[in-house]
Amino acid sequence: MLRGSTSQLRKQVGEIKYMRQEGCTGTVCDSGEPLLLAEPQSHPKWLGRHNEFPSDQVASFLAVPILYRGKSIGAIRALRRKPENRSEERRVGKE
């Protein structure tokens, strides 16, 4: 269940949810292991749902489990949008 957001998804707090093992986020919740993907669309678990922007604009995905007393109880995730132009991509890559 989405408990908080700083993006346009904040309007859907309490409504959006992933079941354990569902998609990349649910897999992180289930396994308790972090997941970092460049071009997540190529990952077999990628569903492309509940994104802050269109799935084809996602450059990378990071999800980290929230652990309580050694057990995964959720995940925090972040998406990075693809640069709008090549000069921005080069600048980001050099940082």
Side-chain angles (χ1 to χ4, degrees):
M1 180 74 63
L2 181 65
R3 300 286 183 204
S5 178
T6 60
S7 73
Q8 65 189 22
L9 294 180
R10 68 181 164 270
K11 296 173 185 173
Q12 295 174 289
V13 168
E15 298 173 11
I16 295 174
K17 65 180 176 180
Y18 283 101
M19 302 303 290
R20 289 189 173 270
Q21 297 184 358
E22 180 183 14
C24 294
T25 303
T27 298
V28 169
C29 290
D30 189 60
S31 70
E33 296 293 325
L35 181 61
L36 173 61
L37 301 171
E39 301 197 15
Q41 301 85 345
S42 63
H43 192 278
K45 287 280 195 170
W46 178 254
L47 298 177
R49 298 186 328 201
H50 311 307
N51 294 334
E52 294 81 350
F53 38 86
S55 183
D56 64 340
Q57 293 180 14
V58 177
S60 59
F61 168 93
L62 171 66
V64 179
I66 300 169
L67 303 176
Y68 178 72
R69 296 185 179 180
K71 183 177 179 182
S72 176
I73 60 168
I76 296 174
R77 69 161 190 142
L79 304 174
R80 185 175 67 87
R81 186 188 296 252
K82 291 179 180 176
E84 292 185 24
N85 60 49
R86 300 293 294 170
S87 62
E88 184 180 339
E89 185 175 339
R90 278 186 244 115
R91 187 181 77 236
V92 170
K94 290 182 180 182
E95 292 179 7

